[in-house]
Amino acid sequence: MVMAALAPDDTALIASQYRVLELWQQSYEGALLVMLPDTFGTTQFLKGAPDWVTDWTGQRVDSKDPFIAGDEYIAWLEKRGRNPQDKLLIASDMLDIDAILSLHAYFAGRIAQNAKPKDFRNATDFYDRGKWTPDRRIRFSAGWGTLLTNDFRGCNPNDGAGFDPISLICKVSEVEGRPAIKLSDNYAKALGPASEIERYRKVFGSEGMSNVGLVT
């Protein structure tokens, strides 16, 4: 977001999302080479990514349906001639036990021919060998946050949502007087002045984005 805010034109704006990875890998390597490509939309990021990005350890999924994002990442790796089994997928948005176990089943195994992502939405799916068998498609891990530390949904004795978890984030809002923007893969998570969000959408497009509710 910072490098994008400092970009002097649209060409530099698009390039900024890859430039920050270049700078990161000058300092870090191995397990720390996990990209988070959703700042301006994962689909456009992958389409325009330089080939060296495929050599990174993996991808973190934050604002996109992790089933869709994981399949997209696997297909992208295969198209670029990389073996997804060597890579790491980390889901991290609004996870609970059901989501974590069903995602593990979906990505850490071979999926039955008639099974779809919608069939993996409950912890019991992890034990259903009619849907999957162990033989990973990609290494999978989960970043369990809000719903691990503050999940009191349904615990309010007076009913209502007073005990529900609160989604808290910290983002840069301005860089040298210029607004900092995040589009996200989820329209509801876009941050920044409306006029600048609209300009960024014209530059990056909105392919692969959706409108998903937030934990509030």
Side-chain angles (χ1 to χ4, degrees), residues 14 17-18 37 40-49 72 204-205 207 209:
I14 294 173
Q17 60 190 332
Y18 308 118
F40 307 120
T42 297
T43 299
Q44 64 80 30
F45 176 96
L46 293 177
K47 282 188 173 181
E72 183 179 37
F204 292 102
E207 185 179 359
M209 297 180 183

Side-chain angles (χ1 to χ4, degrees), residues 21 24-25 28-37 51-61 73-74 76-77 82-90 136-141:
L21 298 190
W24 182 270
Q25 68 181 2
Y28 305 103
E29 58 185 22
L32 294 179
L33 294 181
V34 176
M35 60 183 176
L36 178 60
D51 192 63
W52 55 262
V53 178
T54 61
D55 294 326
W56 274 43
T57 298
Q59 174 179 315
R60 177 186 158 201
V61 178
Y73 181 45
I74 289 172
W76 178 74
L77 289 168
R82 299 329 192 259
N83 184 359
Q85 291 184 332
D86 297 333
K87 302 299 182 179
L88 175 66
L89 180 73
I90 304 175
R136 78 176 185 224
R137 295 193 293 144
I138 193 169
R139 295 159 55 209
F140 176 76
S141 183

Side-chain angles (χ1 to χ4, degrees), residues 10-26:
D10 289 350
T11 300
L13 178 58
I14 294 173
S16 67
Q17 60 190 332
Y18 308 118
R19 177 56 180 158
V20 71
L21 298 190
E22 291 179 339
L23 296 174
W24 182 270
Q25 68 181 2
Q26 289 176 14

Side-chain angles (χ1 to χ4, degrees), residues 61-153:
V61 178
D62 183 47
S63 58
K64 197 169 195 172
D65 182 317
F67 294 93
I68 295 174
D71 281 340
E72 183 179 37
Y73 181 45
I74 289 172
W76 178 74
L77 289 168
E78 291 175 338
K79 185 177 180 180
R80 297 291 188 99
R82 299 329 192 259
N83 184 359
Q85 291 184 332
D86 297 333
K87 302 299 182 179
L88 175 66
L89 180 73
I90 304 175
S92 62
D93 187 32
M94 297 176 61
L95 299 180
D96 57 18
I97 288 293
D98 283 327
I100 291 170
L101 288 179
S102 57
L103 283 164
H104 177 80
Y106 188 72
F107 289 113
R110 291 294 165 182
I111 308 304
Q113 186 173 5
N114 61 343
K116 306 296 182 184
K118 65 181 179 60
D119 298 321
F120 294 85
R121 302 293 171 171
N122 191 282
T124 57
D125 298 321
F126 180 78
Y127 299 100
D128 189 346
R129 288 297 183 265
K131 294 181 178 179
W132 73 288
T133 53
D135 183 14
R136 78 176 185 224
R137 295 193 293 144
I138 193 169
R139 295 159 55 209
F140 176 76
S141 183
W144 193 9
T146 300
L147 297 182
L148 167 66
T149 59
N150 191 31
D151 188 0
F152 296 99
R153 294 171 296 177

